[in-house]
Amino acid sequence: MFLINCPFCGERDQSEFSSGGEAHIVRPKQPTELSDDEWAEYLFMRKNIKGVQFERWNHVHGCRKWFNVVRDTSNDKILSVYKMGEKPPVNYK
Amino acid sequence: MPNYRIHKTEYIDETKRVSFKYDGKTYFGYEGDTLASALLANGIHLIGRSFKYHRPRGIVSCGAEEPNAICQIGSKKDLTEPNVRATELELYEGLEASSQNCWPNVKFDIGGINNFISPLIPAGFYYKTFMWPKSFWKKVYEPLIRLSAGLGKSPTEPDPDIYDHKHVHYDVLVIGGGISGIIAAKMAAKNNLKTLLVDDKKILGGSTIYQNNESIKIDDKLSSEWLKNETQEIKKLSNLTIKTRTSIAAYHGYNFLLAKENLTDHLPEEKKKNKIRQRLWKIRAKKVVIATGSIERPLVFNNNDRPGILLSNSINKYLDYYGVTCGENIILFTNNDSAYETSISLHKKGIKNLIVDLRKSASSELIKEAQNLGIKIYFNHVVTNTFGYRKINSLEIMRLSEDGNTTVGNKIRLNCDCLGMSGGWTPMVHMHTQSGGKLNFRDDDQVFLPKENSEDQISVGACNGDFDLENIIDKTVNKINKFLDINNQDYQDTKIICSKENDKRNIWLLPNKIPLGKTKCFIDFQNDSTAKDIKLALKEGFRSIEHVKRYTTTGMATDQGKLSNMHALGIVADTAGVKMGTLGTTTFRPPFTPLTFGTLVGRNVGKFFEVVRKTSMHEWHVENNAEFENVGQWKRPWYYPKNGENMHAAVQRESKAARDSAGILDASTLGKIDIQGTDASEFLNRVYTNAWSKLAIGKCRYGLMLNEDGMVYDDGVTTRISENHYLMTTTTGGAANVLSKLEDYLQTEWPELDVYLTSVTDHYSTASICGPNSKKILNKLFPNLDLSDENFPHMSFKEGKLENINCRIMRISFTGELSYEINIESKYGNSLWKMCIEAGKEFNLTPYGTETMHLLRAEKGFIIVGQDTDGTMTPSDLQMDWIVSKKKYDFIGKRSLYRSDTIREDRKQLVGLLTDDPKEILEEGAQIVSDIKSKPIDMLGHVTSSYFSPNLNKSIALAVVRSGKSMKGQKLIIPMENKNINVTVSDTIFLDKENKRLNA
Ligand SMILES: [Zn+2]
């Protein structure tokens, strides 16, 4: 059970959060311009990394804010937490 | 009655006699006893029958590892508890326990016949035998297995006990209150760290507290005396919490641990009452010190399972802690020094004993002491057989060959009434591995040890493979100082004297002249698996230890192989000729010891099991005989039976009344989201498929919401209250998800939009009145409101006042009738409802439930998201292309509507179905085919909604059918169990295609 440091509320139990999958997948600004393949890339393709992964979390039973988490999926360690719209920490790329 | 309690100890209060019942017979013990120690004091070893062969079995250990002495406690239907370990159960006045797995009784057991047919029950017996014929499973095999494999009985009535949960945070958690745990806890707490020390026993001290050997001393005191002092000292530390009778069940990531605290299990019945029985501690600790000690290993030899055969150290504990001797003529069979402590202790209490030692020779302080006391030692010998049916009465030993692979010389038969075995010690690495830690193998004494300690977690003492006292104390102190980054000097000058073990010899399967096939060398006592079974599994090709475990069921009983896993591994390694360390272990899964369901659920039982949401009209529905349907957490009136009507009759009546005159529905559960902000219109444009910018203030519009994949997600009517203010309704079940989805887009994709979302589902109650007379009823309720079609047309909104209370009235319809929805602040919901009912009396205003609502909307072909859709339906699949804006540049899911897959002509599409026999009602979920003869039959789709329409006087159904849109008028078949139903594909709208009734 993770302890997640919500950027707005501080450390809270994982049961207060819901996970929203891979982060930094931006919805295309002009979906109609995209081919089926390009749209499918946005819609379906996710990395599912073993190791350092950037993911979205929502403090659903708290402030209800979405934010980003850097997590090493091999040991579940959360390496960093940052707000939506902020740049991902470069040292994990 | 025999009395094996031979001396007083400080842990048994002989002034407090306790009477208890075992298998219906009354016995006495003392406060401080466990059920096992009290039984042994009464000379009772035989305590049950083994699982497969029904062999007599006795108490083996004194703790959580016990495989045999598991009992059924109590006999009340609601309070009886199976599989309780007698070795852990504290004795209390009035305790009733009985042996399990033996019928008709423990002494005469019919299942014992399995013992004689055991050559027929090899490993995998159940898998191999009970396979065929298939029909035998339910009627023959299963009842047979269940009857003979009784691991106790479950209670049959709800548990009346109270359970509790507690969340706590600590700087340091120390698991295990033995000597290393006590030292660690003291060091942590004295350095201002908020510390929790848990131990599963009644008192702290582990195995050290009954240690009384003169050759083991700390600061010139017996180690037990020294530790008692330490225990007194730590109790004074203000930032140390000590929880005894508390065992860690699970160690999860992020140092989140679950512990079970026993609060009343040791109390007599009348003192248990109204108290919390067990408490589940949910512990978050910054750092965890694991000090869980080790468990003594049995030895694997022929007939090693007779009652009277115990672990050597358990004999020692029963003697020195409980004052009970397990026999009067005891033999100790060992491969290490620890049995010598038992021997010396027995000798000092005047109990005759001798030692059989696998090792060729051994030298240490302990061995010298035993030799000086004149205790007979057979070095380089092995026990090859034991005798005695209900209890051991003698055994045979033989000399071991040089390489230890075989026996040599003559058998020596020795009489005894008890055998203690010690195959060395297994560090309890469960917690370490549960936390994600890896293991190393130490060849020296064949143990798995924690490989590494992380910054959050450390193992100290015997669970880390440190067995002698000097090692334990020195290493614990050093490691804890480093781990906690402190500099504690308390143990700087502690003087330790202890015996050092110099000699080791480990043989997993002891040699025997008798062929293995004819021996009974038990590995897992509870599941009755033997060395032979393991070998057979290997012979049959199993290699992975996980497979061998499952095939032979070794380690899969309630004790989870605490005594057996290592031997199974050892024998597999030896047989396969590989190093044990390379095999790996089976996985140690939580819980460490079984938990009650009560502890896990805590207070969340009965009405606290799940949240129940009721509308403010709920009371009226109850008073008026409504049957309820669960919709999400909501209780919604399903139908209102009158005069003994069944559901069908009630629904027919309600549906007819709604169309003939007037009906009223409690629509309060529909999700309501208040949307405000200067970009509210733009926001709606992006989330719904249709256009919103031009919706006039005071108007309502139906919207369809898609997922980004183009599939229908939710629907509902949204009303424009003012320029920048909308009220969105969602489906009852989808309300929370829709809000989450909208928030997600607002926060992540469109943060530039000025939009605020508030869930107001609970803030308003909604009464929906429909039918040709609904306008008249509204007029009675709101006489000042102009209800004319010109001023208040369909799909529009007005504010009204009911007495002095503001209402929002929407003229919208989910039934196809002229219909109004009145929204009022929730606290007035019940009054609103009653006023509507009163005003509607003269018009036969009929309350209707969800079933009638579903029927009425089906007559009109309105979909229910989640019933007629399943996450794979596009608007086009639903024949709802009209609601998808062609002009809008983008909305959620738009691009997906012309993916190659979504434009396929042969997708499943929503159609209407009419049965050839208008009285025939289809079953929802029924499969639809066109050709019944070709095999395999091609499935075209299924029925999603089906009703008998009283207004059309025929059966109607909605269905999804492959290429359904182009099949209108085509005949299809619904094959049912006993008949094939013929249907014709129809339009989805069955009633009032022209929508005349909306303005009736
Ligand atoms: Zn938060």
Side-chain angles (χ1 to χ4, degrees), chain B residues 905-974:
Chain B
E905 293 289 316
D906 62 345
R907 292 179 60 82
K908 285 188 182 171
Q909 293 150 354
L910 190 77
V911 295
L913 292 181
L914 291 171
T915 47
D916 286 4
D917 172 3
K919 295 266 174 271
E920 182 85 68
I921 306 168
L922 297 175
E923 256 180 56
E924 288 173 0
Q927 292 292 315
I928 302 166
V929 306
S930 63
D931 179 1
I932 204 98
K933 290 193 189 85
S934 69
K935 304 273 161 67
I937 300 176
D938 195 16
M939 304 289 196
L940 299 181
H942 65 275
V943 178
T944 59
S945 296
S946 170
Y947 308 90
F948 186 82
S949 159
N951 302 300
L952 297 160
N953 198 28
K954 66 179 177 189
S955 153
I956 56 166
L958 295 172
V960 290
V961 177
R962 195 197 303 156
S963 307
K965 281 199 274 191
S966 60
M967 291 173 88
K968 210 156 144 191
Q970 207 166 310
K971 295 269 179 200
L972 293 172
I973 302 164
I974 317 266

Side-chain angles (χ1 to χ4, degrees), chain B residues 245-264:
Chain B
R245 294 187 177 112
T246 303
S247 51
I248 300 291
Y251 190 153
H252 296 295
Y254 283 67
N255 278 357
F256 177 69
L257 297 94
L258 298 178
K260 179 193 73 172
E261 182 185 14
N262 261 331
L263 293 156
T264 64

Side-chain angles (χ1 to χ4, degrees), chain A residues 4 11-12 17 21-22 26 32 35 45 47 49 51 54 56 62 64 67 69 83 85 89:
Chain A
I4 300 173
E11 279 194 336
R12 295 289 190 280
F17 298 84
E22 192 178 329
V26 181
T32 46
S35 68
M45 297 317 216
K47 290 204 194 92
I49 292 163
F54 294 76
R56 292 157 18 101
R64 292 191 72 86
F67 56 94
V69 164
K83 292 177 185 172

